Each structure stands twice: as structure tokens, then as C-alpha cells.
Amino acid sequence: MWSSSNCKNIGVVVLLLTVRIVSLLALKVQETETRDATILDGLWNFRKADMLNPEVGFAEQWYRTSFCPPMTKSCIKMPVPSSYNDISQDRTLRDHVGWVWYERQFFVPFHWSFKKERVVIRFESVHYFARVWINGLFVIEHEGGHLPFEAEVQRALNWTSINRITVAVNNTLTPFTLPCGRVVYPNNPDSYPPGYFYQQLIFDFFNYAGIHRSVKLYTTPLHYISDIFIVTTAKEGLEPSLVRFNVCYSESEADNKITRKSATCAVQMLDAHANVVARLSECTGELVIAHARLWWPFTMDANVGYLYTLKVELSVDEEIVDVYRQKFGLRTVRVGHDGMYINNRFFYFRGFGKHEDFHIFGRGFNLPVMIKDFNLLQWSGANSFRTSHYPYAEEVLDYADEHGIVVINESPAVGLHEFPNETLKHHLKVMTELIQRDRNHPSVIMWSVANEPKSYDKGSEFYFRTVINLTKSLDATRPVTFVIGGSNASLDKAAGLVDILCINHYFAWYSDPGKLQLIPYQLSRDIKLWASRFTKPVIITEYGADTITGLHTNPSSMFSEEYQTEFMAQYHGVFDQLRQDQILTGEMVWNFADFMTDQEVNRVWGNRKGVFTRERQPKTAAHFLRHRYWKLAMDIDRMVQVDLAPRSVDEHLIWKYEEVVKWIE
């Protein structure tokens, strides 16, 4: 492979590890003049292995021939993409732990057979562990949900007859997986039958599983563009902006006869109207752009989310063999003593923690729900969200790029209560995959390497120093954090390693439940302790109260819509003071919408902390929060989208932000 030797550093601020790590996953699937693609989504055959005989599919070699012959009752139809848990009426499938099997048949497009090209199978996300066969031949396996994996498969395909793809999926979580979990075998024969076990989750969301995103079959030339890395330095006014780029190219496993000296690149930078604004005939270089249009977040400019395109043509022996177009935005991110700056303007996070979660689909990618969520984000005046607690579909980031919504991109490292080397090794691999996939998205302004780890544990300092060092070596252009929860500023071993302190707090909910009057005292003291010890700006990444839609109490009581609103108002008063003291650089409520969890006595069909229901209908708090976020947009950004900002409170609901705050006080 000659891709590893042509990738170069693109500046002293960036250490591009593709010199040592050959990236085959950085570029998403794209149809171009030189590339084709077909989607294998739809109804697949599905079969569940018995939890007490989990290896039956391997013992009987279900991948050799169809495990779902005609008239069989052992399998069902399963939509892809989706989680399998909520599709049927079978409670054992919803709660299944272990192996399940998918298969479907497909034809390779006939015209592909006339070209000598790579054919690649790509899975955008399978949770958690996957093994893949085509026509009975093993092609790839992958550990970890939420991120893509792929393999060349042209040698396994039937070009003139039907093909069969088989996928085995295992959702079992252990202390060495991300997210973490445990398999528990109760040692009590009086209460549990022989062989009984259950999956213990170390996090508060349902462990949805299956083929969660699209399955794609696509082609590239034998000599192809394998990676494009773009770093920008954005300047306003007359000072020119800079675009550094690095194009990596590779050759197919089936053809390694070419020498890299014969490969050249032609690069064009196109504006949003496809006009060429700069060009260079190099695979690594720098473009200087005068009067550039910068990428701005929502409400910070009249024109948000402006994107350029880098069009790359790869030539071999002076013949164009591959074409790829990579979108990007011109923007710069830095952290000051008082907070986050985008293009040297102060940025205050008005946002949400979210989940990829919806009825029936589970965690399966759902395009209508994605669009609805973004519409609600903008309606509420939010400018940001965190991909809690795992990487989201790349379509989500594409849409955030185009609409100026800022993203804190989080790894699936949730439930880290131990720090063994085996977990660390996997964590490093996950961060590499995540950054390779998402580093060209302008909406992604910070990496979060974990959520609520036991960072007061003595092993956490070495663990997070290793993970954060790798993250910064892969991408030195963005700040890095992990989200702190349940720790103490005086005891934390790892918080000093991050660029911004992201902190979750639930005063008057998990601690001192119902005692709203304690929030100002407890929250203010705690955040000031963190800020003074570590001298870093703070984002509140979670605060919230479970709320049952339609439950009203006066005076307010926990779980009522009134309590959720008063709870938020108490937090907001502290946030405003911390912002004035130049400590706080953002606030994100938990959660955007209600979501499913494991069955627990403190969960009534899921976590109900959403300001929207799971069906995306607003609770009272959504209207209350909307007025706060738009007021912050006007006070801080000095720029609002008039068509989305509320024109009058009474037009939407009786809750007027200033009146509620005054009433609470």
C-alpha cells in the first residue's frame, strides 16, 4: 500500500498520524464521476441465538448457507437500519444478551463487472461486535458500535448471480468495552435457575443493538483517494484566510504494481455556488483565500453554516483516475481564560445533551426524526448539542455543518469505573476512528473522550493523559475534554488535563431531592471551587429533572412540569452570575427529549428529563427554555434569526421567562 508514505504533515500545529496509521475509513461514501454506490438497507432475515447456547450459529455455520430457508419458523424479518429490540412483541428479544444473526441477498450492479475496480462493503454502525461473511467467506469483524468499518470484497462476490451477506452481532458489554458493562451470574440457586445471567449496565440508557445505520456497497478505482485532511485558519475582513490540506491515496489490495511517483493531485477550492476560488496541483499544500466567507454558528451571523468544497482529482500517469469532493468550513477555535472563541468571537453554548433514541427505531438512524430534532433545536434558540454518549450518524454532523449548530463530539466511553490496559487500548482505537471520520466537520469544535468516569480514582490520571495525548496528536486544532460527574474538585486526578471543564450537576434531584432553595448555594460554591482549582472555563453539560407530561402540582413537586421549570430557573440564576464572573462559557440541559433506559424502580418507561417528550412534543419547560435561549442569543450574539425567535410569549404559551424568574425569586 503506498497511501501510508504519501501522507504528510500539513503544519507544525498538526501531527497527522496517517504516516503510521493507514486511514481507510476517513471518507464517507460518495457517488462521483469515478465512484458508484448502492444501499443494502431494507428487510433482512434475522435469527436470535439462544442465550443459553450462544455459539449455536457458529457451531452450525449459519454463514455457509442461508439460516432462513423457505417455510422456516426460526427467523423473522428485521428492518435495517434499526435496533432489533423494539421491533417484535417478544420480550426475550427486547432483553436479549448475546448473538443475533442477519442475512440478505443482493445482486452486484451488472455494469460494475465491466470495470476493474475496488468493491467495498461498508457498515456505518453495528452495535456492539460484528462479524461479516459474503457468500460464506469471512470478510471483516469490528468491535464497537457507532463508528463505520469496511472491507474490500470484490474477490468474494458473484458477478453474474445472486450474493448473500451474513452478519453476526453481539451486544454483550464488559469492563473492557465502550460503553462499559458487566455480565452477572447470580450465585443463588434458591432464586435463580442454572445458567441464568443478566447484563448489568453502568450507564443510564437502554443498550439498543443491531445494524443501526446504513449498509453500503460502493466502488472506487484501484488507485483511489483514501483520505483528505483539511485545517483552516479563518480571518475576518481584509486579512486572508488559509486552508491547509493533505490528500492521501491508496491502491487496491488486488493491484499493487504502481509506484507512487506516478501519482499527482489537482485540487480546486469551490465556494457555495461552485465557483473556483483557488487551485493547486499538489497533494499537500496551502491555499490563500482573500475576502473569505467564514463558518459561523447559529445566531452569530446573518449567514450561518457557510461551506466550501475541496474538489480533488487524483491522476496516475497523467490520467484522472479518481475524483472526490470534501466539504469544509473556514473557522478557527480557541479557548481563552474566560471561555470558548470561534473566529475570535466569544461563543456561549446554549444547548442540549441528546440521545439517538426514538420509538420502535431504538437507536436506528431515522432521517425524519433527525430533521425534526434540528428544527426543534433552532426553534428553541439552541446553538449546540453534545453527542451524548457516543458518536452520532455522520448525516447529523453534515446537517449541523450546514446549519451552524455546534457539536461537542463524544466517544462511547461511558461507565468507566475501572482503567485496565485492555480498555485503554480499545479507547485509543475508538478515538482514532472517531477523529478520522469527523475531523473535517466545522460543526465539531471539541472532542469529549468520556462521560462521568471515576476521575478521582488513582488510575485515571495515567489513563486520561494517554487518551488525551493521542487525541491532541491526531487533531491539535480542537480542545479536548471529558465530562465530569459525581467527582469532587479537591479529589479529582484527571480534570487538569482537559482544556475546558465540562460538569454535570443534579442538585435538588439526585442530591437533596425537592430542595430547590439549596440550588443557588450548592451550585455556585461547587463551580467556583472547580474554576479556582483548575483555572479553566466551565460548561454545565447536564442539569435536569424528570418530568411526567401532564402532571401539574401547586406548589410544585418532583416529577411535575412546574418543578422542572422552577428547577431550571434556579440553575439559570446561578449560570448568569457565573457568566458575569467570566467562569461559565455554556449551559446544556439534560435532556433534549425523553429516552429509553433499562427497567429500574426509579424509571417510569425511561428517563423523563427531556424538555420534549420522546414523541418530540414540548413540555412546559421547552417554552420556558426557549425564551431564555433567545434572550441569551440577543444579549451575547447581538444577532438573531427573526423568523425563528418568538415574537410574543402569548403566541406560544403563558410562560414568560422574566416573569417566571421574578416569581421564583
Side-chain angles (χ1 to χ4, degrees):
M1 303 281 289
W2 38 268
S3 61
S4 58
S5 58
N6 84 287
C7 294
K8 304 174 183 178
N9 273 349
I10 57 175
V12 294
V13 296
V14 180
L15 175 61
L16 188 61
L17 288 192
T18 44
V19 171
R20 298 187 297 276
I21 302 173
V22 178
S23 170
L24 297 178
L25 296 173
L27 299 182
K28 68 178 183 180
V29 176
Q30 185 180 106
E31 291 185 284
T32 74
E33 300 91 324
T34 59
R35 298 176 176 225
D36 262 327
T38 187
I39 308 297
L40 299 183
D41 296 354
L43 290 178
W44 291 47
N45 294 329
F46 179 89
R47 187 171 180 179
K48 169 171 64 77
D50 193 310
M51 287 176 59
L52 297 180
N53 186 18
E55 302 296 320
V56 59
F58 299 100
E60 297 180 2
Q61 298 186 335
W62 289 356
Y63 51 86
R64 289 293 185 190
T65 58
S66 174
F67 61 69
C68 191
M71 307 304 292
T72 184
K73 296 182 179 181
S74 59
C75 62
I76 62 174
K77 292 294 184 181
M78 185 61 62
V80 172
S82 75
S83 301
Y84 61 72
N85 308 81
D86 292 344
I87 297 299
S88 78
Q89 308 311 114
D90 183 355
R91 177 170 51 84
T92 65
L93 179 57
R94 180 194 66 192
D95 301 331
H96 179 73
V97 180
W99 291 102
V100 300
W101 292 72
Y102 290 78
E103 72 169 18
R104 68 157 290 171
Q105 295 179 329
F106 66 94
F107 285 96
V108 179
F110 185 67
H111 65 277
W112 289 10
S113 63
F114 298 120
K115 304 176 182 179
K116 191 177 182 182
E117 293 185 318
R118 295 171 70 238
V119 181
V120 181
I121 187 74
R122 181 182 176 101
F123 292 80
E124 298 295 348
S125 171
V126 180
H127 187 76
Y128 173 78
F129 186 86
R131 291 177 180 166
V132 182
W133 296 261
I134 291 183
N135 298 322
L137 298 176
F138 176 76
V139 294
I140 194 172
E141 65 181 27
H142 183 260
E143 179 182 358
H146 318 296
L147 290 168
F149 59 96
E150 64 181 34
E152 283 192 33
V153 295
Q154 60 264 28
R155 293 174 176 172
L157 294 172
N158 297 321
W159 293 93
T160 58
S161 60
I162 202 164
N163 293 271
R164 186 186 70 260
I165 183 171
T166 309
V167 186
V169 182
N170 194 318
N171 67 341
T172 306
L173 302 178
T174 74
F176 310 118
T177 62
L178 296 179
C180 304
R182 295 187 184 92
V183 176
V184 179
Y185 290 85
N187 186 21
N188 184 354
D190 293 333
S191 299
Y192 303 99
Y196 175 81
F197 69 93
Y198 65 92
Q199 173 78 75
Q200 183 184 74
L201 305 180
I202 316 178
F203 49 85
D204 188 30
F205 54 92
F206 194 82
N207 187 35
Y208 280 115
I211 302 178
H212 280 158
R213 298 174 193 155
S214 288
V215 182
K216 301 170 182 175
L217 196 69
Y218 75 96
T219 70
T220 75
L222 295 180
H223 315 113
Y224 62 98
I225 300 162
S226 59
D227 195 5
I228 301 171
F229 187 18
I230 301 169
V231 174
T232 66
T233 302
K235 301 289 185 180
E236 287 192 272
L238 298 178
E239 192 173 354
S241 297
L242 302 179
V243 178
R244 300 187 189 97
F245 64 88
N246 189 29
V247 178
C248 298
Y249 44 83
S250 301
E251 63 185 351
S252 169
E253 299 166 3
D255 188 344
N256 58 5
K257 297 178 182 179
I258 193 166
T259 63
R260 59 188 175 93
K261 292 181 179 179
S262 60
T264 58
C265 299
V267 176
Q268 293 181 338
M269 181 174 166
L270 311 176
D271 65 15
H273 301 288
N275 299 311
V276 178
V277 296
R279 66 178 78 224
L280 193 64
S281 296
E282 298 287 348
C283 294
T284 299
E286 180 177 280
L287 302 172
V288 180
I289 312 300
H291 309 293
R293 294 279 298 274
L294 304 192
W295 187 92
W296 287 108
F298 184 54
T299 74
M300 286 187 73
D301 191 80
N303 298 293
V304 301
Y306 190 89
L307 297 177
Y308 289 93
T309 299
L310 203 70
K311 179 184 177 182
V312 179
E313 295 177 344
L314 175 68
S315 294
V316 175
D317 293 334
E318 300 183 351
E319 178 184 352
I320 296 175
V321 295
D322 197 14
V323 180
Y324 195 90
R325 293 168 177 84
Q326 177 65 58
K327 288 188 176 183
F328 68 99
L330 274 168
R331 66 106 181 90
T332 302
V333 175
R334 69 175 177 87
V335 177
H337 73 279
D338 57 342
M340 176 74 77
Y341 286 79
I342 296 179
N343 301 332
N344 291 318
R345 292 189 198 173
F346 179 76
F347 178 80
Y348 188 82
F349 292 82
R350 312 182 306 270
F352 294 94
K354 290 183 87 276
H355 267 295
E356 289 187 319
D357 174 280
F358 198 69
H359 289 294
I360 303 175
F361 284 82
R363 196 147 291 120
F365 180 67
N366 185 322
L367 193 59
V369 173
M370 184 198 84
I371 300 298
K372 180 67 172 179
D373 284 359
F374 274 102
N375 288 337
L376 289 173
L377 280 168
Q378 293 182 311
W379 174 85
S380 69
N383 61 7
S384 56
F385 65 90
R386 175 168 60 116
T387 68
S388 42
H389 299 296
Y390 39 79
Y392 289 4
E394 195 162 9
E395 291 89 341
V396 174
L397 300 182
D398 288 340
Y399 202 88
D401 291 343
E402 294 171 5
H403 293 82
I405 301 298
V406 164
V407 178
I408 300 175
N409 204 346
E410 189 161 271
S411 86
V414 56
L416 268 174
H417 292 181
E418 305 172 49
F419 303 97
N421 286 336
E422 186 174 344
T423 307
L424 175 58
K425 181 180 178 181
H426 178 57
H427 201 159
L428 298 176
K429 178 176 179 290
V430 168
M431 291 309 302
T432 301
E433 292 180 359
L434 173 61
I435 293 168
Q436 285 180 334
R437 190 193 73 162
D438 294 345
R439 62 193 175 191
N440 288 327
H441 287 283
S443 59
V444 175
I445 53 81
M446 183 158 59
W447 306 111
S448 171
V449 300
N451 178 72
E452 296 189 348
K454 281 189 175 178
S455 52
Y456 52 85
D457 185 273
K458 63 181 181 181
S460 65
E461 194 277 340
F462 171 79
Y463 185 100
F464 282 106
R465 184 179 298 279
T466 305
V467 173
I468 290 172
N469 283 348
L470 174 78
T471 302
K472 287 180 174 290
S473 71
L474 289 167
D475 178 16
T477 69
R478 292 175 175 90
V480 180
T481 190
F482 65 81
V483 176
I484 300 163
S487 188
N488 182 297
S490 62
L491 301 177
D492 198 286
K493 302 290 194 301
L497 300 169
V498 305
D499 297 303
I500 289 182
L501 297 171
C502 292
I503 301 176
N504 299 342
H505 267 316
Y506 291 93
F507 299 119
W509 190 257
Y510 293 124
S511 64
D512 296 305
K515 306 300 190 294
L516 293 171
Q517 70 274 19
L518 294 178
I519 291 172
Y521 180 80
Q522 294 178 344
L523 179 62
S524 179
R525 282 174 58 86
D526 187 80
I527 296 303
K528 287 179 180 178
L529 282 172
W530 284 98
S532 64
R533 182 185 175 193
F534 295 104
T535 61
K536 299 174 187 290
V538 176
I539 304 171
I540 300 297
T541 37
E542 290 185 25
Y543 70 102
D546 283 81
T547 304
I548 305 302
T549 308
L551 177 62
H552 296 281
T553 61
N554 188 8
S556 67
S557 297
M558 293 178 69
F559 296 98
S560 70
E561 295 198 42
E562 287 77 11
Y563 188 89
Q564 186 182 36
T565 304
E566 293 181 35
F567 177 98
M568 291 167 60
Q570 293 283 6
Y571 275 78
H572 295 166
V574 180
F575 293 168
D576 290 339
Q577 185 59 55
L578 293 172
R579 180 166 52 86
Q580 291 174 17
D581 294 341
Q582 296 188 327
I583 293 173
L584 199 68
T585 191
E587 57 194 71
M588 292 183 159
V589 69
W590 188 260
N591 188 282
F592 174 78
D594 295 344
F595 58 91
M596 189 51 64
T597 65
D598 217 1
Q599 297 188 70
E600 300 285 351
V601 294
N602 64 336
R603 291 284 175 253
V604 184
W605 206 39
N607 188 305
R608 299 301 188 97
K609 291 187 180 66
V611 300
F612 298 99
T613 67
R614 204 177 183 209
E615 298 81 12
R616 275 40 179 189
Q617 297 304 316
K619 302 177 187 178
T620 301
H623 297 274
F624 178 70
L625 187 68
R626 181 184 187 219
H627 287 281
R628 173 170 178 79
Y629 278 178
W630 280 109
K631 185 175 185 300
L632 287 171
M634 289 184 276
D635 291 346
I636 298 172
D637 295 345
R638 310 292 182 186
M639 175 73 70
V640 297
Q641 315 295 40
V642 178
D643 57 328
L644 291 171
R647 291 176 174 81
S648 71
V649 177
D650 294 336
E651 179 182 340
H652 300 286
L653 203 66
I654 61 172
W655 289 95
K656 185 173 181 180
Y657 179 78
E658 293 83 355
E659 291 181 359
V660 173
V661 172
K662 185 176 179 180
W663 173 61
I664 295 293
E665 293 173 345

